[in-house]
Amino acid sequence: MRLLHLSDLHLGRRLCETDLYQDQKYILARILDIALAEKVQGVLVAGDVYDRGVPALGAVDLWDDFLTALHGHDLPVWVISGNHDSPERLAFGGRLLGRSGVHLASVFAGRLERFDTRDEHGPLTIWALPFVRPAAVRAFFPQEKIESYTDAVAALVRAAAPDPAGRNILIAHQFVTAGAAAPAASGSEQLTLGTLDNVDAAVFDPFDYVALGHIHAAQSVGRDEIRYCGSPLAYSAGEAPGEKTVTVVELGPKGRVETKQLPLSPLHPLRRIQGPLEALLQHAEPSEDYIYARLTDETPPLEPAARLRSVYPNLIRLELTPPGQPRPDAPALERLAKRTPRQLFEEFCEAVHGRALNEQERAFLDEVLGEEGEP
């Protein structure tokens, strides 16, 4: 079976206050073109359909049009909710949509949702796990010790017990790591400080292919068959000028999985430019690309935005960073991001009070972190 793997559509997203409605409408049409050209037999959408829990009307229209177009070509769709989605809103009409081949697994019900289908190679099971936190899983598995995201997902996989002799796909929206190796993020994702929300890729061993959402850069984690397809558009300056793709996955007989990434050409590519204003204007070629500009003039130039927009009408952000201006210490920020909440509390106490946490304070911190369950 040949499937198209999508995620992180973030319909309704704005880029530095720029409305992306037309860009998202355009890229969804290109995705449909690819689905038809590749003769896929279904579409997997791994969460973050919308950019916020209460989506804008235009975002709802885009999703409705996309589903209607897929249905018009008899393409079944399997959809989960991501951390940006409201599961209940995304699930609206799900029972009716299921009869039309649009299968929604957005509200977590204590288990992996199961959808059985088949192709020329026999039965195929598609498992679906909407974005979930350990506390939600713990409520359904009181007998298990669930202290982390890995514990939570592992408990759900054990309970589902996929047939090892069968072909199994999982759709999930989580931050997945392979041991100490974390996927490359772009900066526009919502990640917990210190990557405490990670799920170890080893828990996905029973699945032939894992269609992941949450990280906006296309990449595999641990093994080729555990894959982030990435977002279809650049949603932050950190994603420029990287190429965006969609993933086509083909499952043959048990044990044979092939993937390929097909490029997506956006309506307005996102680019970053940097330098003194006069130098940028001297070498500028008129373009409707989205431009993120950083000016390095020693003194602020007059009307820099207006002058840049004369050649770059879609200037979305302008920064002034004169030479010698202090820049963030990237290594220090990276080290800080690896600290656990406990370490941060301990270092804060020492910095403010000049001493380590006492026994009573440690006990209180243990209680707070334990109650949160997912610090």
Side-chain angles (χ1 to χ4, degrees):
M1 178 171 282
R2 181 176 291 185
L3 299 166
L4 193 69
H5 170 194
L6 306 174
S7 77
D8 297 274
L9 304 179
H10 287 282
L11 301 179
R13 183 86 168 224
R14 300 179 73 86
L15 181 61
C16 297
E17 302 309 313
T18 298
D19 187 355
L20 295 179
Y21 177 86
Q22 292 298 334
D23 299 82
Q24 292 181 325
K25 181 177 182 179
Y26 177 87
I27 210 67
L28 289 176
R30 300 292 75 73
I31 289 170
L32 178 62
D33 291 342
I34 290 173
L36 298 179
E38 289 294 314
K39 296 181 171 57
V40 302
Q41 296 157 279
V43 178
L44 311 174
V45 184
D48 280 355
V49 170
Y50 296 120
D51 190 56
R52 54 182 175 171
V54 183
L57 295 179
V60 177
D61 287 341
L62 286 174
W63 181 234
D64 181 54
D65 288 345
F66 186 55
L67 290 181
T68 301
L70 292 174
H71 175 67
H73 292 282
D74 296 320
L75 287 175
V77 189
W78 293 269
V79 186
I80 64 169
S81 58
N83 58 304
H84 279 253
D85 296 310
S86 165
E88 292 77 13
R89 289 186 174 89
L90 189 60
F92 177 77
R95 285 171 290 183
L96 291 174
L97 288 171
R99 300 174 189 174
S100 299
V102 178
H103 307 288
L104 301 176
S106 57
V107 180
F108 176 65
R111 65 183 185 279
L112 301 185
E113 295 290 336
R114 175 174 179 160
F115 303 97
D116 291 304
T117 184
R118 61 185 303 114
D119 62 8
E120 65 273 22
H121 302 291
L124 172 66
T125 302
I126 297 175
W127 303 87
L129 175 62
F131 176 74
V132 68
R133 294 183 170 88
V137 178
R138 198 180 300 123
F140 290 93
F141 295 85
Q143 75 283 2
E144 298 224 25
K145 186 178 181 180
I146 296 175
E147 297 180 343
S148 68
Y149 279 75
T150 297
D151 293 341
V153 176
L156 291 167
V157 173
R158 284 194 301 271
D163 179 6
R167 295 180 302 156
N168 296 280
I169 291 177
L170 175 68
I171 316 171
H173 189 95
Q174 300 287 165
F175 180 55
V176 178
T177 58
S186 66
S188 58
E189 305 93 336
Q190 292 182 354
L191 304 178
T192 299
L193 187 65
T195 66
L196 292 172
D197 54 357
N198 71 295
V199 176
D200 193 279
V203 305
F204 299 130
D205 284 349
F207 301 98
D208 298 271
Y209 183 76
V210 182
L212 292 174
H214 192 37
I215 301 298
H216 291 182
Q219 60 199 291
S220 296
V221 184
R223 58 184 170 97
D224 290 343
E225 297 81 16
I226 302 175
R227 182 164 186 83
Y228 287 105
C229 63
S231 60
L233 291 174
Y235 289 128
S236 73
E239 296 176 59
E243 182 182 64
K244 291 297 183 178
T245 62
V246 291
T247 296
V248 174
V249 54
E250 185 164 359
L251 284 90
K254 177 68 176 180
R256 199 190 85 191
V257 179
E258 297 178 1
T259 63
K260 63 179 177 180
Q261 289 70 54
L262 300 175
L264 286 171
S265 298
L267 184 62
H268 301 103
L270 175 62
R271 289 196 286 128
R272 289 183 291 184
I273 59 175
Q274 178 174 322
L277 177 61
E278 295 302 331
L280 292 178
L281 291 174
Q282 182 180 355
H283 299 97
E285 294 184 6
S287 170
E288 294 192 357
D289 292 355
Y290 288 135
I291 300 296
Y292 189 111
R294 177 177 287 157
L295 301 185
T296 57
D297 298 81
E298 292 188 6
T299 58
L302 292 174
E303 300 183 332
R307 296 181 66 191
L308 282 171
R309 285 197 173 99
S310 67
V311 287
Y312 300 126
N314 290 321
L315 175 70
I316 61 168
R317 188 175 178 88
L318 175 63
E319 289 184 359
L320 301 175
T321 56
Q325 178 175 305
R327 302 284 294 275
D329 184 347
L333 291 175
E334 186 176 345
R335 289 193 298 272
L336 182 63
K338 294 179 179 178
R339 299 283 203 279
T340 66
R342 174 178 296 284
Q343 290 171 328
L344 292 172
F345 274 113
E346 290 175 345
E347 291 173 10
F348 177 77
C349 178
E350 193 162 342
V352 173
H353 301 292
R355 63 172 178 82
L357 294 173
N358 61 37
E359 202 169 303
Q360 183 180 2
E361 290 166 338
R362 285 179 182 277
F364 179 73
L365 184 58
D366 287 340
E367 182 181 349
V368 170
L369 295 180
E371 286 178 357
E372 292 294 328
E374 44 177 311

